[in-house]
Amino acid sequence: MESLLSFFDPTEDCLNDNQLPPEPQLGNIEYKLKLLNPSRTRFQHLVTQLKWRLREGGGEAIYEIGVEDSGLLAGLPSHEMDTSLKTLSQMAAELGATTTVLREREVSCGRKVTEVLVRKIPADQHTIEVRVAVMGSADSGKSTLVGVLTQGELDNGRGRARLNTFRHLHEVQSGRTSSISHEILGFDSEGKVINSSDLVNGEDMHCTKLISLLDLAGHRKYLRTTVCAVSGYRPHHAMLVVSGQAGVVGMTREHVAITSALEVPMFVVVTKTDLGSESTTLDHVKQLLTSPGCRKVPMVIKNEDDVMTANSNQLRENVVPIFCVSNVTGEGLDLLIRFLYVLPPGVSNKEKERLDQEPCEFQIDEIFRVADVGTVVGGLLTKGVITEGSEVLVGPHNDGTFRQVKIQSVHRNKAPCRLVHSSQSASLALDSSEVALRPGMVIVSPSEKPEACLFFQATICLLHHSTSIQPGFQTTVHIGNIRQTAVIEGIMTFDHRMYTNDSAPVLFRFVRHPEFIRIGARLLFREGFTKGIGKITQVFPLDQAA
């Protein structure tokens, strides 16, 4: 890690340590020393290799030209580098992909190393989509930042940019987000921003990558809505927004704890830098990220080289990029936009193809009544494929049953489409208006024969509690899109109690109505300052529990 950061940091002497980590066998990063006029057989082999790297990266691959497999930064003369880049472009063209030079660095004696992004939209998609949850305390500038990024206009210093992201009148009046707002930031093949107005006007046909920004509430009274969104929508990344003036506050720590518990990769954006120095806030953010409960590697982004370095090490080395921006002057926004452009998709194509083959399961997060359309549900398709006109089951209802409905139409990213693939969010119009729906329900394939449960067992770790918990303790549990009060019926320990940092199997019972959950699902629970995480190990269907 240190060698990689020092090499791409222009303030360091990079000639003393010309070494990257060895080439990873898996993933979407490929090292190539040179690509000079390969034979036809060799060329086909290189194309096949590129195709595999693209599949591993969900449609994106990073090629390091001038680097040996061991990670040695040998570099190439200018004429050999030009030929190698031309060959890589021809390889990409064979697969219908595009190439973009991300950065270029001279290593010694005029020899260069170049990093290239190869992007190919999967055949069954219009774009590559990455979901980013925007989190942070109240008044940190989350909605304003989302508005500036997606609308392409700077703020006036009084919050004008955030008005387009609000969904309710009381949000406009108070200036505080209380719901989950979805905004879209698009990029073309050359990295040019396509903002929301362009997408609505039909420019999405030129869009190769979409960043779906989930603007979440920051006030403590809406914390359960925020936790439900991070748990249910399964964002690929979390953007933690911190005010450069207020600094790290209690809700900032809560949001860091939530993302760490749910294992969501994170990056930090410090806003309001136009109002004064942010150095104190940066120090506090670094202290928070390096604390024993977090153990991250903070990295302040100062130039484009830092952007690429942080992006390639975010998952592998727990690096947390930190951006300093101003929504009024626009300072630092170009680096943040560049980072979003190269942000990797969350699921590889191989895993996505496996999920597509399974029976469909759609988590319902929101419900709407639309005039002349009827009932519309919004949420995330966790596996399988849903097509227009499909006959599916929706439930569980209060009696634990599932009822058959028909999908009339499908919308994704505010546009109609014919089908939805796994790991994609969408809105579905259902033909049945008499079926009572609620958030937390699922839409599943009839072949699943789904069963609801009131009782379930999970192995949990109690992160914090002032004394001890014991049978009878009530808490709010979050499992995917489910948010409901549950009672602890049993604790499998010697004294049937749990203290801070204890782990044990625990039997839960839902209080209000049965839910549909799967073994292996992640669980997060909280009640006041009590919080814990765990994994579902056993489910007791209603008929068996009876």
Side-chain angles (χ1 to χ4, degrees), residues 62 102 306-315 321 339 342-344:
I62 302 292
L102 297 178
D306 290 344
V307 169
M308 304 308 165
T309 303
N311 178 72
S312 60
N313 288 276
Q314 188 182 15
L315 302 180
F339 180 77
V342 297
L343 206 57

Side-chain angles (χ1 to χ4, degrees), residues 179-428:
S179 59
I180 306 169
S181 176
H182 297 250
E183 298 296 331
I184 302 170
L185 176 66
F187 294 95
D188 64 13
S189 59
E190 298 179 354
K192 180 183 176 183
V193 173
I194 302 176
N195 57 37
S196 296
S197 58
D198 295 328
L199 292 168
V200 172
N201 294 331
E203 289 296 320
D204 57 322
M205 62 184 298
H206 304 296
C207 185
T208 62
K209 187 170 187 175
L210 277 181
I211 305 294
S212 295
L213 298 170
L214 308 178
D215 185 16
L216 307 181
H219 197 275
R220 178 169 286 279
K221 68 183 291 188
Y222 305 118
L223 180 59
R224 61 180 185 177
T225 303
T226 298
V227 175
C228 197
V230 180
S231 174
Y233 277 98
R234 301 185 187 181
H236 303 133
H237 301 266
M239 178 165 67
L240 181 68
V241 181
V242 181
S243 169
Q245 305 306 303
V248 175
V249 295
M251 285 307 298
T252 307
R253 301 179 189 278
E254 286 279 356
H255 289 167
V256 170
I258 291 168
T259 56
S260 298
L262 296 175
E263 298 178 351
V264 181
M266 174 178 57
F267 59 98
V268 179
V269 179
V270 178
T271 59
K272 305 182 182 181
T273 58
D274 55 293
L275 298 180
S277 174
E278 68 280 358
S279 58
T280 303
T281 299
L282 283 176
D283 291 339
H284 291 165
V285 169
K286 291 176 182 178
Q287 290 175 9
L288 175 61
L289 294 175
T290 56
S291 62
C294 197
R295 299 184 184 279
K296 305 289 186 182
V297 182
M299 179 182 178
V300 179
I301 305 301
K302 299 178 181 178
N303 51 54
E304 274 205 25
D305 276 348
D306 290 344
V307 169
M308 304 308 165
T309 303
N311 178 72
S312 60
N313 288 276
Q314 188 182 15
L315 302 180
R316 185 172 53 192
E317 301 285 353
N318 272 341
V319 169
V320 176
I322 303 175
F323 298 85
C324 297
V325 305
S326 168
N327 295 315
V328 177
T329 65
E331 178 189 1
L333 287 175
D334 55 337
L335 296 177
L336 177 59
I337 290 173
R338 188 66 172 173
F339 180 77
L340 293 172
Y341 170 62
V342 297
L343 206 57
V347 181
S348 69
N349 269 15
K350 184 177 180 180
E351 173 68 9
K352 198 169 182 303
E353 289 176 1
R354 185 189 68 78
L355 291 173
D356 281 352
Q357 301 303 315
E358 298 188 17
C360 69
E361 180 180 322
F362 182 88
Q363 297 181 346
I364 297 177
D365 292 293
E366 295 181 290
I367 301 165
F368 311 95
R369 305 289 178 183
V370 181
D372 301 326
V373 176
T375 303
V376 176
V377 297
L380 177 71
L381 182 64
T382 57
K383 63 178 187 173
V385 175
I386 283 183
T387 58
E388 191 176 15
S390 300
E391 298 278 351
V392 293
L393 299 177
V394 62
H397 296 82
N398 290 341
D399 58 359
T401 60
F402 288 76
R403 300 173 190 175
Q404 186 164 315
V405 297
K406 184 178 181 180
I407 297 174
Q408 291 183 314
S409 62
V410 179
H411 277 65
R412 287 197 65 243
N413 299 321
K414 305 178 182 179
C417 60
R418 301 301 297 272
L419 78 165
V420 184
H421 291 270
S422 59
S423 304
Q424 293 180 343
S425 54
S427 298
L428 312 177

Side-chain angles (χ1 to χ4, degrees), residues 1-4 19-24 31 67-72 313 316-317:
M1 237 302 278
E2 292 298 331
S3 61
L4 184 60
Q19 186 75 34
L20 294 181
E23 181 184 54
Y31 294 170
V67 180
E68 296 183 0
D69 290 346
S70 62
L72 179 65
N313 288 276
R316 185 172 53 192
E317 301 285 353

